[in-house]
Amino acid sequence: MKALLIGIGLLPLVRLIVLGYQEDLTANPIEFITRSTGTWALVFLCLTLAITPLRRLTGINQLIQYRRTLGLFVFFYACLHFSIWFWLDHGLIFSEMIVDVIKRPFITVGFISFVLLIPLALTSNQWAVKKLKRNWARLHQLIYLIAPLVILHYFWHKSGKNDYFTVSIYGAVLLILLAFRLRLRLKP
């Protein structure tokens, strides 16, 4: 099942490669690739956060074994999203990237989200779970900060175009998923 999940998780990347090979990445290929990778990072974030509610609602405890893979796909597509922005928008010039991060709030929030994902990805292995013990769970609670930051990043990006429909859907999905988890924590 994990191999199938990995194959499915790579389909968006394969699609971008095929579209690039066919020279069919729209009139603005850089924007298309950047937006696509960001969207897929958000989709995998929603799927990752959906595992616990689905497991609780269905009683299928095996679902938990797929959460790490989904979480790593969040980081994978966020890395692509960041790398494309840094490479193609800023020519890998660190100082230009920093100016953009400081100057534009939606970039600032996206950058913070990406930086916060790094320790989660680095500790998504059994060795880190054993070494960090209880602190591992505490560290991975950063996802509850990352999720709203990602929505804010997306919202501010879309606000320039007055296009709130899609971001509202993702925001609602994440709100429901986070509310479900909060309800579980507050339950006596």
Side-chain angles (χ1 to χ4, degrees):
M1 265 313 269
K2 277 192 183 179
L4 178 62
L5 182 58
I6 291 169
I8 292 169
L10 291 172
L11 285 177
L13 177 61
V14 170
R15 176 181 171 261
L16 287 174
I17 292 168
V18 169
L19 288 173
Y21 180 76
Q22 296 173 339
E23 297 181 9
D24 199 17
L25 288 171
T26 73
N28 189 342
I30 294 172
E31 182 178 345
F32 182 77
I33 295 168
T34 305
R35 303 302 167 246
S36 294
T37 53
T39 299
W40 282 105
L42 181 53
V43 167
F44 281 105
L45 177 62
C46 291
L47 291 172
T48 302
L49 289 172
I51 292 293
T52 295
L54 283 173
R55 184 174 63 101
R56 295 286 176 105
L57 293 170
T58 64
I60 304 172
N61 290 324
Q62 296 85 351
L63 290 173
I64 200 72
Q65 64 186 325
Y66 306 115
R67 187 169 60 190
R68 182 180 300 168
T69 303
L70 291 169
L72 287 171
F73 272 116
V74 173
F75 184 68
F76 174 71
Y77 284 104
C79 276
L80 290 176
H81 183 66
F82 169 79
S83 298
I84 290 161
W85 169 77
F86 183 42
W87 176 32
L88 299 178
D89 282 356
H90 297 292
L92 299 175
I93 300 170
F94 188 76
S95 59
E96 283 188 22
M97 179 199 72
I98 295 301
V99 168
D100 202 17
V101 167
I102 293 168
K103 188 174 154 185
R104 298 194 299 171
F106 93 93
I107 298 289
T108 306
V109 171
F111 185 74
I112 291 168
S113 303
F114 175 68
V115 168
L116 291 174
L117 278 172
I118 294 170
L120 301 188
L122 292 175
T123 59
S124 288
N125 56 64
Q126 252 352 91
W127 180 84
V129 172
K130 287 178 186 172
K131 284 289 183 188
L132 294 173
K133 298 178 181 155
R134 284 186 184 166
N135 291 324
W136 184 89
R138 286 187 193 124
L139 176 65
H140 282 257
Q141 288 178 352
L142 280 174
I143 200 69
Y144 303 125
L145 173 61
I146 293 167
L149 287 175
V150 167
I151 291 298
L152 183 59
H153 169 67
Y154 195 23
F155 176 81
W156 276 345
H157 166 68
K158 289 295 194 175
S159 67
K161 298 172 172 115
N162 287 326
D163 177 15
Y164 302 107
F165 180 73
T166 307
V167 71
S168 298
I169 292 170
Y170 283 112
V173 167
L174 284 174
L175 184 63
I176 291 166
L177 293 171
L178 294 175
F180 185 89
R181 288 169 172 266
L182 182 62
R183 195 181 118 234
L184 288 175
R185 285 186 176 266
L186 296 177
K187 212 178 212 183

